[in-house]
PDB file of all heavy atoms in Angstrom:
ATOM      1  N   ARG A   1      70.632  71.637  51.079  1.00  0.00           N
ATOM      2  CA  ARG A   1      70.946  72.941  50.841  1.00  0.00           C
ATOM      3  C   ARG A   1      72.426  73.298  50.908  1.00  0.00           C
ATOM      4  O   ARG A   1      72.973  74.059  50.032  1.00  0.00           O
ATOM      5  CB  ARG A   1      70.233  73.894  51.833  1.00  0.00           C
ATOM      6  CG  ARG A   1      68.749  73.991  51.655  1.00  0.00           C
ATOM      7  CD  ARG A   1      68.097  75.149  52.400  1.00  0.00           C
ATOM      8  NE  ARG A   1      68.203  74.898  53.804  1.00  0.00           N
ATOM      9  CZ  ARG A   1      67.342  74.223  54.674  1.00  0.00           C
ATOM     10  NH1 ARG A   1      66.265  73.630  54.011  1.00  0.00           N
ATOM     11  NH2 ARG A   1      67.496  74.124  55.882  1.00  0.00           N
ATOM     12  N   HIS A   2      73.189  72.674  51.920  1.00  0.00           N
ATOM     13  CA  HIS A   2      74.644  72.919  51.964  1.00  0.00           C
ATOM     14  C   HIS A   2      75.263  72.387  50.690  1.00  0.00           C
ATOM     15  O   HIS A   2      76.187  72.940  50.145  1.00  0.00           O
ATOM     16  CB  HIS A   2      75.186  72.245  53.189  1.00  0.00           C
ATOM     17  CG  HIS A   2      74.933  73.040  54.356  1.00  0.00           C
ATOM     18  ND1 HIS A   2      74.583  72.413  55.582  1.00  0.00           N
ATOM     19  CD2 HIS A   2      74.840  74.342  54.665  1.00  0.00           C
ATOM     20  CE1 HIS A   2      74.446  73.342  56.607  1.00  0.00           C
ATOM     21  NE2 HIS A   2      74.584  74.469  55.999  1.00  0.00           N
ATOM     22  N   GLN A   3      74.873  71.236  50.338  1.00  0.00           N
ATOM     23  CA  GLN A   3      75.429  70.569  49.079  1.00  0.00           C
ATOM     24  C   GLN A   3      75.107  71.341  47.738  1.00  0.00           C
ATOM     25  O   GLN A   3      75.975  71.357  46.833  1.00  0.00           O
ATOM     26  CB  GLN A   3      74.989  69.175  48.878  1.00  0.00           C
ATOM     27  CG  GLN A   3      75.606  68.194  49.880  1.00  0.00           C
ATOM     28  CD  GLN A   3      77.102  68.217  49.897  1.00  0.00           C
ATOM     29  OE1 GLN A   3      77.742  67.964  48.849  1.00  0.00           O
ATOM     30  NE2 GLN A   3      77.656  68.506  51.055  1.00  0.00           N
ATOM     31  N   ALA A   4      73.993  72.019  47.813  1.00  0.00           N
ATOM     32  CA  ALA A   4      73.688  72.910  46.634  1.00  0.00           C
ATOM     33  C   ALA A   4      74.728  74.089  46.454  1.00  0.00           C
ATOM     34  O   ALA A   4      75.075  74.414  45.356  1.00  0.00           O
ATOM     35  CB  ALA A   4      72.277  73.484  46.758  1.00  0.00           C
ATOM     36  N   GLU A   5      75.196  74.500  47.655  1.00  0.00           N
ATOM     37  CA  GLU A   5      76.202  75.571  47.672  1.00  0.00           C
ATOM     38  C   GLU A   5      77.611  74.954  47.409  1.00  0.00           C
ATOM     39  O   GLU A   5      78.313  75.619  46.614  1.00  0.00           O
ATOM     40  CB  GLU A   5      76.229  76.222  49.036  1.00  0.00           C
ATOM     41  CG  GLU A   5      74.926  77.010  49.349  1.00  0.00           C
ATOM     42  CD  GLU A   5      75.008  77.571  50.846  1.00  0.00           C
ATOM     43  OE1 GLU A   5      76.149  77.453  51.477  1.00  0.00           O
ATOM     44  OE2 GLU A   5      73.972  78.061  51.271  1.00  0.00           O
ATOM     45  N   LEU A   6      77.903  73.826  47.923  1.00  0.00           N
ATOM     46  CA  LEU A   6      79.171  73.235  47.786  1.00  0.00           C
ATOM     47  C   LEU A   6      79.405  72.523  46.446  1.00  0.00           C
ATOM     48  O   LEU A   6      80.436  72.522  45.857  1.00  0.00           O
ATOM     49  CB  LEU A   6      79.476  72.215  48.873  1.00  0.00           C
ATOM     50  CG  LEU A   6      79.602  72.760  50.348  1.00  0.00           C
ATOM     51  CD1 LEU A   6      79.645  71.619  51.304  1.00  0.00           C
ATOM     52  CD2 LEU A   6      80.790  73.656  50.391  1.00  0.00           C
ATOM     53  N   ASN A   7      78.317  71.926  46.030  1.00  0.00           N
ATOM     54  CA  ASN A   7      78.423  71.037  44.727  1.00  0.00           C
ATOM     55  C   ASN A   7      77.349  71.408  43.742  1.00  0.00           C
ATOM     56  O   ASN A   7      76.391  70.629  43.544  1.00  0.00           O
ATOM     57  CB  ASN A   7      78.324  69.545  45.158  1.00  0.00           C
ATOM     58  CG  ASN A   7      79.550  69.120  45.776  1.00  0.00           C
ATOM     59  OD1 ASN A   7      80.681  69.277  45.358  1.00  0.00           O
ATOM     60  ND2 ASN A   7      79.385  68.675  47.021  1.00  0.00           N
ATOM     61  N   PRO A   8      77.252  72.723  43.260  1.00  0.00           N
ATOM     62  CA  PRO A   8      76.054  73.021  42.487  1.00  0.00           C
ATOM     63  C   PRO A   8      75.878  72.320  41.149  1.00  0.00           C
ATOM     64  O   PRO A   8      74.806  72.206  40.563  1.00  0.00           O
ATOM     65  CB  PRO A   8      76.292  74.561  42.183  1.00  0.00           C
ATOM     66  CG  PRO A   8      77.670  74.760  42.370  1.00  0.00           C
ATOM     67  CD  PRO A   8      78.115  73.728  43.434  1.00  0.00           C
ATOM     68  N   ARG A   9      77.035  71.638  40.695  1.00  0.00           N
ATOM     69  CA  ARG A   9      77.003  70.872  39.500  1.00  0.00           C
ATOM     70  C   ARG A   9      76.914  69.371  39.699  1.00  0.00           C
ATOM     71  O   ARG A   9      77.320  68.595  38.952  1.00  0.00           O
ATOM     72  CB  ARG A   9      78.405  71.100  38.743  1.00  0.00           C
ATOM     73  CG  ARG A   9      78.467  72.539  38.376  1.00  0.00           C
ATOM     74  CD  ARG A   9      79.682  72.743  37.371  1.00  0.00           C
ATOM     75  NE  ARG A   9      79.640  74.205  37.030  1.00  0.00           N
ATOM     76  CZ  ARG A   9      80.747  74.941  36.968  1.00  0.00           C
ATOM     77  NH1 ARG A   9      81.827  74.421  37.241  1.00  0.00           N
ATOM     78  NH2 ARG A   9      80.579  76.189  36.736  1.00  0.00           N
ATOM     79  N   ALA A  10      76.267  69.010  40.793  1.00  0.00           N
ATOM     80  CA  ALA A  10      75.947  67.695  41.228  1.00  0.00           C
ATOM     81  C   ALA A  10      74.397  67.487  41.330  1.00  0.00           C
ATOM     82  O   ALA A  10      73.893  67.183  42.416  1.00  0.00           O
ATOM     83  CB  ALA A  10      76.616  67.227  42.511  1.00  0.00           C
ATOM     84  N   PRO A  11      73.767  67.659  40.121  1.00  0.00           N
ATOM     85  CA  PRO A  11      72.195  67.609  40.289  1.00  0.00           C
ATOM     86  C   PRO A  11      71.735  66.277  40.715  1.00  0.00           C
ATOM     87  O   PRO A  11      70.709  66.245  41.415  1.00  0.00           O
ATOM     88  CB  PRO A  11      71.715  67.973  38.768  1.00  0.00           C
ATOM     89  CG  PRO A  11      72.894  67.634  37.975  1.00  0.00           C
ATOM     90  CD  PRO A  11      74.167  67.926  38.792  1.00  0.00           C
ATOM     91  N   ARG A  12      72.419  65.164  40.355  1.00  0.00           N
ATOM     92  CA  ARG A  12      71.892  63.935  40.796  1.00  0.00           C
ATOM     93  C   ARG A  12      72.010  63.737  42.307  1.00  0.00           C
ATOM     94  O   ARG A  12      71.086  63.269  42.927  1.00  0.00           O
ATOM     95  CB  ARG A  12      72.771  62.742  40.069  1.00  0.00           C
ATOM     96  CG  ARG A  12      72.302  61.385  40.350  1.00  0.00           C
ATOM     97  CD  ARG A  12      73.051  60.361  39.690  1.00  0.00           C
ATOM     98  NE  ARG A  12      72.682  59.020  40.276  1.00  0.00           N
ATOM     99  CZ  ARG A  12      73.389  58.003  40.052  1.00  0.00           C
ATOM    100  NH1 ARG A  12      74.557  58.009  39.330  1.00  0.00           N
ATOM    101  NH2 ARG A  12      73.006  56.836  40.623  1.00  0.00           N
ATOM    102  N   LEU A  13      73.117  64.188  42.883  1.00  0.00           N
ATOM    103  CA  LEU A  13      73.242  64.149  44.331  1.00  0.00           C
ATOM    104  C   LEU A  13      72.194  64.985  44.975  1.00  0.00           C
ATOM    105  O   LEU A  13      71.475  64.504  45.931  1.00  0.00           O
ATOM    106  CB  LEU A  13      74.678  64.608  44.795  1.00  0.00           C
ATOM    107  CG  LEU A  13      74.870  64.719  46.232  1.00  0.00           C
ATOM    108  CD1 LEU A  13      74.744  63.358  46.936  1.00  0.00           C
ATOM    109  CD2 LEU A  13      76.131  65.435  46.566  1.00  0.00           C
ATOM    110  N   LEU A  14      71.862  66.104  44.478  1.00  0.00           N
ATOM    111  CA  LEU A  14      70.868  66.992  45.111  1.00  0.00           C
ATOM    112  C   LEU A  14      69.561  66.430  45.004  1.00  0.00           C
ATOM    113  O   LEU A  14      68.763  66.369  45.967  1.00  0.00           O
ATOM    114  CB  LEU A  14      70.957  68.378  44.438  1.00  0.00           C
ATOM    115  CG  LEU A  14      72.299  69.122  44.571  1.00  0.00           C
ATOM    116  CD1 LEU A  14      72.312  70.487  43.772  1.00  0.00           C
ATOM    117  CD2 LEU A  14      72.695  69.264  46.068  1.00  0.00           C
ATOM    118  N   ARG A  15      69.284  65.818  43.870  1.00  0.00           N
ATOM    119  CA  ARG A  15      67.990  65.149  43.609  1.00  0.00           C
ATOM    120  C   ARG A  15      67.815  63.912  44.543  1.00  0.00           C
ATOM    121  O   ARG A  15      66.745  63.742  45.103  1.00  0.00           O
ATOM    122  CB  ARG A  15      67.894  64.710  42.185  1.00  0.00           C
ATOM    123  CG  ARG A  15      66.456  64.420  41.708  1.00  0.00           C
ATOM    124  CD  ARG A  15      66.444  64.194  40.169  1.00  0.00           C
ATOM    125  NE  ARG A  15      67.394  63.493  39.577  1.00  0.00           N
ATOM    126  CZ  ARG A  15      68.436  63.919  38.802  1.00  0.00           C
ATOM    127  NH1 ARG A  15      68.406  65.285  38.619  1.00  0.00           N
ATOM    128  NH2 ARG A  15      69.337  63.200  38.334  1.00  0.00           N
ATOM    129  N   ARG A  16      68.860  63.158  44.687  1.00  0.00           N
ATOM    130  CA  ARG A  16      68.822  62.032  45.600  1.00  0.00           C
ATOM    131  C   ARG A  16      68.696  62.389  47.058  1.00  0.00           C
ATOM    132  O   ARG A  16      67.912  61.737  47.909  1.00  0.00           O
ATOM    133  CB  ARG A  16      70.032  61.118  45.420  1.00  0.00           C
ATOM    134  CG  ARG A  16      69.997  60.416  43.983  1.00  0.00           C
ATOM    135  CD  ARG A  16      71.148  59.596  43.907  1.00  0.00           C
ATOM    136  NE  ARG A  16      70.840  58.256  44.566  1.00  0.00           N
ATOM    137  CZ  ARG A  16      71.693  57.265  44.526  1.00  0.00           C
ATOM    138  NH1 ARG A  16      72.787  57.301  43.804  1.00  0.00           N
ATOM    139  NH2 ARG A  16      71.376  56.111  45.182  1.00  0.00           N
ATOM    140  N   LEU A  17      69.220  63.508  47.500  1.00  0.00           N
ATOM    141  CA  LEU A  17      69.062  64.001  48.808  1.00  0.00           C
ATOM    142  C   LEU A  17      67.642  64.583  49.022  1.00  0.00           C
ATOM    143  O   LEU A  17      67.027  64.217  50.048  1.00  0.00           O
ATOM    144  CB  LEU A  17      70.063  65.198  49.067  1.00  0.00           C
ATOM    145  CG  LEU A  17      71.432  64.744  49.415  1.00  0.00           C
ATOM    146  CD1 LEU A  17      72.439  65.978  49.216  1.00  0.00           C
ATOM    147  CD2 LEU A  17      71.590  64.086  50.802  1.00  0.00           C
ATOM    148  N   GLU A  18      67.063  65.104  48.020  1.00  0.00           N
ATOM    149  CA  GLU A  18      65.630  65.491  48.059  1.00  0.00           C
ATOM    150  C   GLU A  18      64.725  64.223  48.228  1.00  0.00           C
ATOM    151  O   GLU A  18      63.804  64.272  48.977  1.00  0.00           O
ATOM    152  CB  GLU A  18      65.375  66.361  46.808  1.00  0.00           C
ATOM    153  CG  GLU A  18      64.293  67.419  46.976  1.00  0.00           C
ATOM    154  CD  GLU A  18      64.300  68.251  45.696  1.00  0.00           C
ATOM    155  OE1 GLU A  18      65.147  69.096  45.553  1.00  0.00           O
ATOM    156  OE2 GLU A  18      63.278  68.113  44.993  1.00  0.00           O
ATOM    157  N   ASP A  19      65.049  63.315  47.277  1.00  0.00           N
ATOM    158  CA  ASP A  19      64.269  62.012  47.434  1.00  0.00           C
ATOM    159  C   ASP A  19      64.376  61.364  48.803  1.00  0.00           C
ATOM    160  O   ASP A  19      63.340  60.908  49.312  1.00  0.00           O
ATOM    161  CB  ASP A  19      64.798  61.012  46.364  1.00  0.00           C
ATOM    162  CG  ASP A  19      64.521  61.473  44.909  1.00  0.00           C
ATOM    163  OD1 ASP A  19      63.592  62.410  44.736  1.00  0.00           O
ATOM    164  OD2 ASP A  19      65.073  60.998  44.022  1.00  0.00           O
ATOM    165  N   ALA A  20      65.607  61.431  49.294  1.00  0.00           N
ATOM    166  CA  ALA A  20      65.796  60.729  50.635  1.00  0.00           C
ATOM    167  C   ALA A  20      64.945  61.404  51.791  1.00  0.00           C
ATOM    168  O   ALA A  20      64.457  60.731  52.599  1.00  0.00           O
ATOM    169  CB  ALA A  20      67.278  60.794  50.912  1.00  0.00           C
ATOM    170  N   ALA A  21      64.802  62.745  51.661  1.00  0.00           N
ATOM    171  CA  ALA A  21      63.967  63.439  52.622  1.00  0.00           C
ATOM    172  C   ALA A  21      62.552  63.060  52.572  1.00  0.00           C
ATOM    173  O   ALA A  21      61.827  62.774  53.510  1.00  0.00           O
ATOM    174  CB  ALA A  21      64.175  64.943  52.516  1.00  0.00           C
ATOM    175  N   ARG A  22      62.044  62.889  51.296  1.00  0.00           N
ATOM    176  CA  ARG A  22      60.645  62.516  50.995  1.00  0.00           C
ATOM    177  C   ARG A  22      60.478  61.056  51.482  1.00  0.00           C
ATOM    178  O   ARG A  22      59.471  60.699  52.119  1.00  0.00           O
ATOM    179  CB  ARG A  22      60.297  62.589  49.543  1.00  0.00           C
ATOM    180  CG  ARG A  22      59.835  63.926  49.095  1.00  0.00           C
ATOM    181  CD  ARG A  22      59.233  63.972  47.737  1.00  0.00           C
ATOM    182  NE  ARG A  22      60.075  63.442  46.701  1.00  0.00           N
ATOM    183  CZ  ARG A  22      60.943  64.142  46.109  1.00  0.00           C
ATOM    184  NH1 ARG A  22      61.049  65.402  46.340  1.00  0.00           N
ATOM    185  NH2 ARG A  22      61.566  63.598  45.064  1.00  0.00           N
ATOM    186  N   GLN A  23      61.524  60.194  51.223  1.00  0.00           N
ATOM    187  CA  GLN A  23      61.389  58.808  51.569  1.00  0.00           C
ATOM    188  C   GLN A  23      61.410  58.604  53.147  1.00  0.00           C
ATOM    189  O   GLN A  23      60.712  57.835  53.628  1.00  0.00           O
ATOM    190  CB  GLN A  23      62.533  58.022  51.041  1.00  0.00           C
ATOM    191  CG  GLN A  23      62.465  57.924  49.470  1.00  0.00           C
ATOM    192  CD  GLN A  23      63.740  57.530  48.856  1.00  0.00           C
ATOM    193  OE1 GLN A  23      64.815  57.496  49.369  1.00  0.00           O
ATOM    194  NE2 GLN A  23      63.677  57.166  47.531  1.00  0.00           N
ATOM    195  N   ALA A  24      62.184  59.428  53.760  1.00  0.00           N
ATOM    196  CA  ALA A  24      62.240  59.508  55.273  1.00  0.00           C
ATOM    197  C   ALA A  24      60.841  59.882  55.843  1.00  0.00           C
ATOM    198  O   ALA A  24      60.288  59.275  56.792  1.00  0.00           O
ATOM    199  CB  ALA A  24      63.276  60.409  55.826  1.00  0.00           C
ATOM    200  N   ARG A  25      60.185  60.864  55.222  1.00  0.00           N
ATOM    201  CA  ARG A  25      58.895  61.249  55.640  1.00  0.00           C
ATOM    202  C   ARG A  25      57.831  60.205  55.308  1.00  0.00           C
ATOM    203  O   ARG A  25      57.029  59.907  56.215  1.00  0.00           O
ATOM    204  CB  ARG A  25      58.526  62.623  54.811  1.00  0.00           C
ATOM    205  CG  ARG A  25      57.186  63.167  55.323  1.00  0.00           C
ATOM    206  CD  ARG A  25      56.951  64.594  54.686  1.00  0.00           C
ATOM    207  NE  ARG A  25      57.238  64.740  53.303  1.00  0.00           N
ATOM    208  CZ  ARG A  25      58.239  65.501  52.763  1.00  0.00           C
ATOM    209  NH1 ARG A  25      59.059  66.012  53.600  1.00  0.00           N
ATOM    210  NH2 ARG A  25      58.471  65.451  51.413  1.00  0.00           N
ATOM    211  N   ALA A  26      57.902  59.506  54.157  1.00  0.00           N
ATOM    212  CA  ALA A  26      57.009  58.439  53.800  1.00  0.00           C
ATOM    213  C   ALA A  26      57.229  57.205  54.859  1.00  0.00           C
ATOM    214  O   ALA A  26      56.152  56.659  55.285  1.00  0.00           O
ATOM    215  CB  ALA A  26      57.271  57.892  52.353  1.00  0.00           C
ATOM    216  N   LEU A  27      58.346  56.922  55.153  1.00  0.00           N
ATOM    217  CA  LEU A  27      58.631  55.768  56.124  1.00  0.00           C
ATOM    218  C   LEU A  27      58.151  56.157  57.530  1.00  0.00           C
ATOM    219  O   LEU A  27      57.658  55.293  58.190  1.00  0.00           O
ATOM    220  CB  LEU A  27      60.122  55.423  56.132  1.00  0.00           C
ATOM    221  CG  LEU A  27      60.470  54.261  57.048  1.00  0.00           C
ATOM    222  CD1 LEU A  27      59.734  52.972  56.676  1.00  0.00           C
ATOM    223  CD2 LEU A  27      61.982  53.981  57.011  1.00  0.00           C
ATOM    224  N   GLY A  28      58.383  57.422  57.939  1.00  0.00           N
ATOM    225  CA  GLY A  28      57.883  57.885  59.218  1.00  0.00           C
ATOM    226  C   GLY A  28      56.414  57.773  59.224  1.00  0.00           C
ATOM    227  O   GLY A  28      55.792  57.349  60.307  1.00  0.00           O
ATOM    228  N   ALA A  29      55.702  58.141  58.172  1.00  0.00           N
ATOM    229  CA  ALA A  29      54.272  57.979  58.060  1.00  0.00           C
ATOM    230  C   ALA A  29      53.834  56.635  58.208  1.00  0.00           C
ATOM    231  O   ALA A  29      52.818  56.221  58.847  1.00  0.00           O
ATOM    232  CB  ALA A  29      53.674  58.650  56.789  1.00  0.00           C
TER     233      ALA A  29
END
């Protein structure tokens, strides 16, 4: 969310941060 405000033109970074959150949830499971 912070990066979306700071770097709105970095869709790849935002997508990878979203993926990382999902991956952390999957690894936790």
Side-chain angles (χ1 to χ4, degrees):
R1 284 194 299 273
H2 286 144
Q3 287 303 304
E5 293 172 13
L6 295 171
N7 295 300
R9 295 190 180 134
R12 182 176 170 200
L13 173 64
L14 300 176
R15 197 170 41 254
R16 290 182 80 177
L17 284 165
E18 214 171 285
D19 291 345
R22 273 194 304 276
Q23 292 164 347
R25 188 172 40 251
L27 182 57

